[in-house]
């Protein structure tokens, strides 16, 4: 029984419980020491038990039991005399209520029988069909949005909270400032207007990429035809883990953030509220790239460098990394930040190409279950590296970075622009460069249709300027084709062989008709 209990609990922890990506996975059942399976380890609880406390609690329980017995006995003796006198009165009330219910049931049954016997007009099938269509039309016309959606449409900011599974529901907000984003069709919150990410990005139906990308799958889902679902000037994201760690925005911080956005206090800015220097994974206060290596099994710099080489088409031995200086300021972690919607789309454009290059580099290795960015088997392989990508993009694309205290709402700019001069790779991260690379990929995919597997087309829209010309040319071709078909039809009608008439009908004159009629009348009279 001991071995069955231990193995069952270990299997429960291993297969049923879903631990966060930063937690160390539990050992397999086969790795449990044999000693722990042979007998109960009661000695492990000896330090917890306190005999003095147990004796004190047992005495208090006995005292309470004696008081309850005395109290119950007193109540029984005092109520015995009253019970005998009230039994007759209670029984009469019960009999009266029973008779009333029986009469009501009999009357209800008779009314139902009479209702069934009466003639009811059924109507024709056309009437039934017409009424059904009318009901469907009214149903669509009366679609009303809830209060949260109406309030959200009038505010400048909407913060999305990606989640997966019912276990994260308690850590999600329900105010109009926030909106849930389910990474799976299953496990979505009921009676909410949460977004179904797989319906907007079919790539998330693939469990491998849903687990590997995590929050970036939510970014790509929102950015895909963003105008259909997000109509606010600013967009933000907050991890449910931030709420679990009590680092989410307070009401004061939310108000301060919205006021700063409405007043355009900082312009095009990345607001963040979870700091890297206070992260439990960074107790040694490491710098950016050292911390990235620490949480990615020492391969962060290598993976980042190789992804940039693949992304920008650099062939020679290039090992440089975008500088992330140590200037006394900190960086953003845990995907909790706010950006202008236009800047967010630019960031997603850059991220799609970076993730595609990263996936091309490590996809084959990850299929075996081993991730080079982790010391263990990890299905969230890319998540810790991508968690820090927003900092690299914001720093080198010359965006302001402002830290918002999640408790007080106080704001402070980090990595000021005047201190970044001669350190930013502006040409690499500028909108013109990223846009031209995006169009080149779209043109290559549209013209060549490569057979090699690529992740980029599945993460969003594929568009380049030549598509306008192709669509215009195709429309002109269709128009000319319709014109030609119309002309051919008219020419066939005109050249069609017409059959000659068999006979010709000659209508008699009116006078001849009258003469013939009078002749017939005279002939009848003579008879």
């Amino acid at each position: 029984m001991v071995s069955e209990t231990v193995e069952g609990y270990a299997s429960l922890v291993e297969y049923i419980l879903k631990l966060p990506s930063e937690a160390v996975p539990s050992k397999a059942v086969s790795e449990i020491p044999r000693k722990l399976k042979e007998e109960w380890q009661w000695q492990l609880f000896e330090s917890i038990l306190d005999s003095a406390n147990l004796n004190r609690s047992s005495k208090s329980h006995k005292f309470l039991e004696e008081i309850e017995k005395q109290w119950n006995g007193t109540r029984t003796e005092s109520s015995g005399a009253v019970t005998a006198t009230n039994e007759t009165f209670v029984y009469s009330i019960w009999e009266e209520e029973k008779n009333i219910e029986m009469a009501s049931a009999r009357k209800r049954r008779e009314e139902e029988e009479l209702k069934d016997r009466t003639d009811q007009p059924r109507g024709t099938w056309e009437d039934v069909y017409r009424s059904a269509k009318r009901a469907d039309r009214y149903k669509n016309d009366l679609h009303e949005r809830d209060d949260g959606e109406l309030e959200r449409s009038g505010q400048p900011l909407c913060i999305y909270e990606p989640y997966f599974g019912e276990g994260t529901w308690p850590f999600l907000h329900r105010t109009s400032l926030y909106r849930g984003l389910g990474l799976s069709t299953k496990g979505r919150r009921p009676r909410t207007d949460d977004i179904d990410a797989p319906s907007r990005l079919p790539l998330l139906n693939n469990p491998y990429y849903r687990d590997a990308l995590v929050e970036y799958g939510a970014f790509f889902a929102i950015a895909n035809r963003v105008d259909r679902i997000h109509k606010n000037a600013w967009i933000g994201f907050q991890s449910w883990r931030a709420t679990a760690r009590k680092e989410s925005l307070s009401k004061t911080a939310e108000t301060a953030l919205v006021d700063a956005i409405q007043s355009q206090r900082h312009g095009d800015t990345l607001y963040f509220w979870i700091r890297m220097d206070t992260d439990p994974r960074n107790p040694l206060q490491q710098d950016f790239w050292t911390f990235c290596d620490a949480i990615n099994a020492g391969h962060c710099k290598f993976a980042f460098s190789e992804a940039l080489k693949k992304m920008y088409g650099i062939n020679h031995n290039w090992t440089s990394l975008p500088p992330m200086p140590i200037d006394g300021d900190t960086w953003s972690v845990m995907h909790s930040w706010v950006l202008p919607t236009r800047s967010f789309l630019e960031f997603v454009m850059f991220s799609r190409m970076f993730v595609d290059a990263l996936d091309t580099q490590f996809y084959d290795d990850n299929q075996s279950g081993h991730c080079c960015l982790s010391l263990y088997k990890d299905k969230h392989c890319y998540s810790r590296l991508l968690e820090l990508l927003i900092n690299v993009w914001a720093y080198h694309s010359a965006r302001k970075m402002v830290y918002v205290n999640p408790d007080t709402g106080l704001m402070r700019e980090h990595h000021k622009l005047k201190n970044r001069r001669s350190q930013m790779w502006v040409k690499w991260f500028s909108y013109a460069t990223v846009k031209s690379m995006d169009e080149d990929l779209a043109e290559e995919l549209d013209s060549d249709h490569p057979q090699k597997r690529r992740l980029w087309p599945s993460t969003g829209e594929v568009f380049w300027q030549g598509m306008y010309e192709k669509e215009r040319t195709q429309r002109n071709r269709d128009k000319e084709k319709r014109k030609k078909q119309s002309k051919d039809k008219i020419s066939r009608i005109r050249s069609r062989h017409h059959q000659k008439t068999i006979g010709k009908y000659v209508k008699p004159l009116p006078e001849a008709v009258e003469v013939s009629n009078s002749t017939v009348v005279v002939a009848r009279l003579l008879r």
Side-chain angles (χ1 to χ4, degrees), residues 9-20 26 379:
Y9 183 78
S11 301
L12 175 68
V13 174
E14 182 178 1
Y15 296 107
I16 297 181
L17 296 182
K18 295 182 179 180
L19 300 175
S26 59
K379 57 184 180 180

Side-chain angles (χ1 to χ4, degrees), residues 445-459:
L445 183 71
D446 186 46
S447 57
D448 298 340
H449 299 286
Q451 300 297 327
K452 187 177 180 181
R453 188 197 64 83
R454 296 204 66 171
L455 178 62
W456 180 80
S458 303
T459 55

Side-chain angles (χ1 to χ4, degrees), residues 99-338:
N99 294 332
I100 293 174
E101 290 182 358
M102 292 175 62
S104 300
R106 190 183 303 108
K107 184 177 180 181
R108 192 184 310 111
R109 185 168 58 254
E110 292 176 355
E111 291 178 353
E112 291 177 356
E113 292 177 355
L114 291 174
K115 183 179 179 181
D116 293 338
R117 294 171 186 171
T118 57
D119 295 333
Q120 297 181 1
R122 303 295 179 182
T124 61
W125 282 110
E126 289 77 8
D127 297 336
V128 175
Y129 178 76
R130 194 179 299 110
S131 61
K133 294 289 289 183
R134 189 184 302 112
D136 292 340
R137 185 169 59 253
Y138 288 161
K139 181 179 179 181
N140 295 331
D141 293 342
L142 294 177
H143 171 67
E144 297 180 359
R145 297 184 294 177
D146 58 0
D147 296 338
E149 187 176 356
L150 291 173
E151 293 177 6
R152 193 180 300 117
S153 61
Q155 59 191 15
L157 170 65
C158 179
I159 299 177
Y160 296 93
E161 294 183 305
Y163 67 92
F164 177 70
E166 299 181 10
T168 60
W169 290 358
F171 306 109
L172 304 178
H173 293 77
R174 289 185 175 270
T175 59
S176 60
L177 183 63
Y178 298 88
R179 191 173 187 182
L181 182 60
L183 296 177
S184 175
T185 303
K186 299 179 180 178
R188 290 175 56 196
R189 291 187 297 176
R191 296 181 298 278
T192 59
D193 62 340
D194 292 352
I195 299 173
D196 183 22
S199 65
R200 297 187 53 79
L201 192 71
L203 176 68
L204 297 180
N205 290 317
N206 186 338
Y208 168 76
Y209 283 113
R210 183 185 61 213
D211 295 334
L213 299 177
V214 197
E215 281 83 358
Y216 270 75
F219 300 165
F220 298 156
I222 291 293
N224 188 24
R225 304 182 185 276
V226 65
D227 294 336
R228 298 185 178 182
I229 197 168
H230 179 79
K231 303 181 184 301
N232 306 84
W234 288 68
I235 187 172
F237 293 88
Q238 179 172 264
S239 174
W240 62 268
R241 294 182 179 87
T243 307
R245 287 170 46 177
K246 298 182 179 180
E247 295 185 6
S248 59
L249 292 174
S250 63
K251 294 294 182 181
T252 305
E254 292 173 2
T255 304
L257 180 59
V258 173
D259 292 342
I261 289 174
Q262 289 179 334
S263 61
Q264 300 181 357
R265 188 182 308 167
H266 302 97
D268 191 353
T269 305
L270 171 72
Y271 293 97
F272 66 97
W273 50 92
I274 300 184
R275 304 163 58 106
M276 189 186 76
D277 54 357
T278 60
D279 194 293
R281 298 171 294 176
N282 189 20
L284 302 178
Q285 303 295 312
Q286 298 169 326
D287 63 279
F288 182 85
W289 289 117
T290 306
F291 172 72
C292 187
D293 268 342
I295 63 176
N296 288 283
H299 296 95
C300 171
K301 296 179 183 178
F302 169 76
F304 207 100
S305 176
E306 292 297 319
L308 288 181
K309 287 172 60 177
K310 178 70 176 178
M311 178 177 171
Y312 289 97
I314 302 174
N315 297 323
H316 60 274
N317 296 328
W318 181 77
T319 58
S320 299
L321 286 171
M324 305 296 284
I326 306 174
D327 53 4
D329 293 333
T330 187
W331 308 96
S332 171
V333 293
M334 288 184 63
H335 303 292
S336 298
W337 42 261
V338 166

Side-chain angles (χ1 to χ4, degrees), residues 446 465-483 485:
D446 186 46
Q465 194 65 26
M467 287 186 175
Y468 277 138
E469 300 176 0
K470 292 181 64 175
E471 292 176 357
R472 189 186 306 112
T473 304
Q474 185 64 33
R475 286 196 300 269
N476 293 335
R477 288 177 181 175
D478 295 340
K479 187 177 180 180
E480 293 295 331
K481 184 178 180 180
R482 288 193 298 269
K483 285 184 178 180
Q485 290 176 351

